[in-house]
Amino acid sequence: MIKYGIIGCGNISRFHFHGIEKAGAKVTYIADINEAAAKPWIEKTGARYTKDYKELVDSDEVDVVSILTNTKFHKEMALYAIAKGKAVVCEKTMANNGEEAWEIAQQVQKAGTLFFTTYMKRFFPAVVKGKELYSKLGRVISAQVRSYQSWGDFFTAPDMGWAEGVTKSFGGAILKCAGSHMLDMTMNFLGKPQSVYANIDYFPQTDFDRRVTAVMRFADNIAATFETIPHPLSKIGYERNSWDEKIEINGTGGRLEIYTVMWDAPENNCALLKFYDNETQTETEYRFDAVNPFDIELCEITKAVERGEQIAPSVVEGYRVDELISAIEKSAKLKAEVDIDWKI
C-alpha cells in the first residue's frame, strides 16, 4: 500500500485526502504549523502529526510527499523531498515563477524521482475524450481560452483585504489561481507557445491582477487568445452558476469545445465536450457522469507510483505553466511580444 505524507491542511487538502482514500492508499503522516487544521484529518486517518515538514519527509512511513501549502513554500519543500528520494505530489502553481520551477525540474531530472503537478482538469473524461478527437481537427487554425471566476467585484467595489491575502499566499491573483489551469489545458492540446503578447490590469497600487489578456503564438503561426478575470456575474457559464471556463480549438476539419465545471463542486455536473465534424457536418455533445477529477488524478498517481512510472502532469508540465506565466508577466511589463526561452 502506498503511504502518503500530507504537508498543509488548508482548503485544497480535503480533495487530496478523499482522493487518496479512493485510491486505496493510506495517509501516514500529516504536517501543518496549525494543529487545529490538521486535527480532523489526524482523527480520520490515524496519521502521525508534526509541525516540521522535514520530519514527515524523513519518515520511512512516507512514500509520497504531498505539498499542499501556499505556493511560496513549494520550492523549499519540493527540493528537500527530492533530495530525500521521495515521490512528490505538488499543488499548482508548482513554484513562484519560471526560474524557481526550472530549479525544481533540474533536481528531479538529476535525482530520477517521480514528481506530479496537480493540474487535475486533465482528468475530466471530457478532456481525455477531447484528446482522442483532437487529430480529427485537421490543421489547427485558431483557439480561444478563458477562465472567468466569480470572486466578486474587483473593478468598482473590491474587497482588497481578502485580495491581499491571495497575493501573499500565491504570489498573484487571477492568473495564478485561476488562469494557470487553463494555460495547462492549452498546452495539453497545442503544445508550447513560441511567444506571447499580454496585458495585465492590476488593481491600482497593488499587485492584485484582476484581468489578464494574452495572445500566444504557436508553431505554424497558430494564435490562441487567452483571458482570465474575477467577476461578480452570478448566473453566467455552462452551469449558470457564475463559473465560465472554456477552451475552443478550431481546425480545418472541425471544432472542439470543452466547458469545465466549478472546481470545488464537480459532483453536480461533469465537464462538457462538444465536437463538430466538418466532414459529416454534425456536432456531438459528450456528456459524462459527474466525477471528481481529483479522485481520478490521485488514483492514477497512486498506480503510477506503484509501477514506478512517471505520468503527466509531471514536473515538466508544472515548469511549463510557471514559465509561461513568467513570460506573460514580462510581456505585460514591457508592453511587447516576448519569445519564450523554454528549458524543457
Side-chain angles (χ1 to χ4, degrees):
M1 178 181 292
I2 299 299
K3 295 169 287 187
Y4 281 79
I6 302 292
I7 306 177
C9 294
N11 188 40
I12 198 73
S13 69
R14 69 187 192 276
F15 296 101
H16 287 261
F17 280 109
H18 188 264
I20 290 166
E21 182 180 7
K22 293 277 285 186
K26 183 175 178 60
V27 176
T28 55
Y29 230 120
I30 296 172
D32 197 303
I33 58 173
N34 181 358
E35 187 172 356
K39 187 176 179 181
W41 300 111
I42 297 168
E43 293 174 350
K44 179 176 175 58
T45 63
R48 297 180 64 181
Y49 168 74
T50 180
K51 290 188 176 183
D52 182 1
Y53 79 86
K54 291 182 179 179
E55 181 182 326
L56 178 153
V57 175
D58 291 343
S59 173
D60 292 335
E61 289 299 305
V62 172
D63 303 312
V64 184
V65 175
S66 293
I67 302 173
L68 314 181
T69 64
N70 294 340
T71 303
K72 61 185 178 181
F73 302 118
H74 287 185
K75 175 188 167 184
E76 173 190 320
M77 293 176 174
L79 291 179
Y80 189 82
I82 295 162
K84 294 294 182 174
K86 296 297 174 75
V88 174
V89 172
C90 186
E91 259 298 334
K92 64 87 185 175
T93 53
M94 191 176 82
N96 285 309
N97 51 55
E99 183 178 349
E100 284 190 5
W102 173 231
E103 187 175 345
I104 295 170
Q106 284 181 297
Q107 293 308 309
V108 171
Q109 291 178 333
K110 289 178 182 178
T113 51
L114 300 177
F115 194 106
F116 309 90
T117 310
T118 58
Y119 285 108
M120 84 292 183
K121 292 177 185 178
R122 287 179 175 235
F123 295 87
F124 275 121
V127 177
V128 175
K129 184 63 178 179
K131 286 283 285 184
E132 292 178 9
L133 295 171
Y134 182 73
S135 62
K136 294 187 176 182
L137 292 179
R139 178 170 178 173
V140 173
I141 53 179
S142 72
Q144 295 86 44
V145 187
R146 70 169 178 258
S147 180
Y148 294 174
Q149 297 189 10
S150 181
W151 291 12
D153 185 355
F154 286 92
F155 296 89
T156 61
D159 176 5
M160 294 313 295
W162 176 82
E164 288 174 1
V166 171
T167 54
K168 285 179 182 177
S169 297
F170 302 102
I174 195 66
L175 179 57
K176 287 191 172 182
C177 294
S180 58
H181 273 291
M182 295 309 286
L183 292 176
D184 176 70
M185 183 83 74
T186 303
M187 290 189 283
N188 185 29
F189 283 96
L190 299 179
K192 298 178 293 185
Q194 298 174 341
S195 67
V196 63
Y197 181 83
N199 175 267
I200 300 180
D201 175 32
Y202 294 93
F203 188 83
Q205 284 77 57
T206 76
D207 56 357
F208 185 92
D209 49 299
R210 61 183 180 182
R211 181 175 60 242
V212 180
T213 307
V215 178
M216 296 174 281
R217 182 170 57 82
F218 295 80
D220 295 326
N221 210 30
I222 299 167
T225 60
F226 165 81
E227 188 169 60
T228 184
I229 300 175
H231 67 81
L233 308 176
S234 59
K235 297 296 181 183
I236 67 170
Y238 155 51
E239 297 183 285
R240 301 296 185 262
N241 63 355
S242 79
W243 186 273
D244 189 18
E245 198 169 70
K246 173 191 176 183
I247 180 168
E248 174 186 309
I249 305 173
N250 297 288
T252 55
R255 168 182 287 179
L256 184 152
E257 299 172 76
I258 296 174
Y259 299 80
T260 71
V261 294
M262 191 170 285
W263 78 275
D264 59 352
E267 65 277 4
N268 295 327
N269 290 290
C270 197
L272 171 66
L273 168 65
K274 293 182 180 181
F275 180 74
Y276 169 72
D277 185 337
N278 199 47
E279 182 178 357
T280 61
Q281 297 186 356
T282 59
E283 182 176 80
T284 304
E285 285 193 0
Y286 293 85
R287 294 182 176 268
F288 302 89
D289 291 338
V291 296
N292 189 321
F294 285 95
D295 290 349
I296 301 172
E297 178 181 49
L298 284 160
C299 284
E300 292 300 318
I301 288 173
T302 299
K303 288 187 287 187
V305 173
E306 290 173 338
R307 298 191 303 266
E309 177 186 348
Q310 182 66 63
I311 62 170
S314 67
V315 74
V316 174
E317 286 74 25
Y319 155 76
R320 288 176 180 170
V321 173
D322 289 347
E323 190 71 83
L324 180 51
I325 289 173
S326 289
I328 288 171
E329 293 172 337
K330 180 180 179 181
S331 173
K333 184 176 181 180
L334 296 175
K335 294 181 169 55
E337 183 177 8
V338 298
D339 292 331
I340 304 174
D341 181 20
W342 296 109
K343 306 296 192 302
I344 44 177

